[in-house]
Amino acid sequence: MNNSQLLKGTLEGCVLLVISQQEVYGYELVTKLQNLGFFDLSAGTVYPLLQKLERQGYLESQLRTSNEGPKRKYYHLTTSGQMQTQNFITDWQQLTATVTAVIEQIGGNMDGAIERIK
């Protein structure tokens, strides 16, 4: 499994989490996510996701003038988006607890598992 497969399942939730803290415009969101560790993330990934989340009713946007060029589209969570964000947190905590338990059960050591596969 590569990081892009893992990213698909988590990026949406992380976008909602960042926007839950304060409304942001697209490029600002990309920068925040990169600063949080999504180093290879591009605007070409984030903008379609923002459109999808807006279509699903999790986000609303508003165009505002900018001192630095054209108008910017600012995004904020809707009530439905707030609930989806909380669902993501709950689901993520359950998933990480389960995966951690599996790792701890095998002792965090893959040597034995790899030998059995061979």
Side-chain angles (χ1 to χ4, degrees), residues 1-66:
M1 180 180 302
N2 63 34
N3 285 343
S4 65
Q5 290 174 314
L6 290 172
L7 181 61
K8 282 182 183 179
T10 58
L11 184 58
E12 180 178 308
C14 290
V15 164
L16 292 172
L17 280 165
V18 170
I19 295 174
S20 75
Q21 297 302 298
Q22 73 179 66
E23 61 181 11
V24 295
Y25 58 92
Y27 182 75
E28 180 182 21
L29 176 63
V30 172
T31 302
K32 285 179 181 279
L33 288 166
Q34 288 171 339
N35 290 338
L36 289 167
F38 289 96
F39 303 117
D40 296 330
L41 189 65
S42 71
T45 300
V46 174
Y47 284 105
L49 180 56
L50 287 169
Q51 292 171 347
K52 174 188 166 197
L53 292 170
E54 192 168 19
R55 278 192 313 273
Q56 291 175 322
Y58 299 143
L59 298 178
E60 290 180 343
S61 63
Q62 181 180 36
L63 279 175
R64 295 190 191 149
T65 57
S66 169

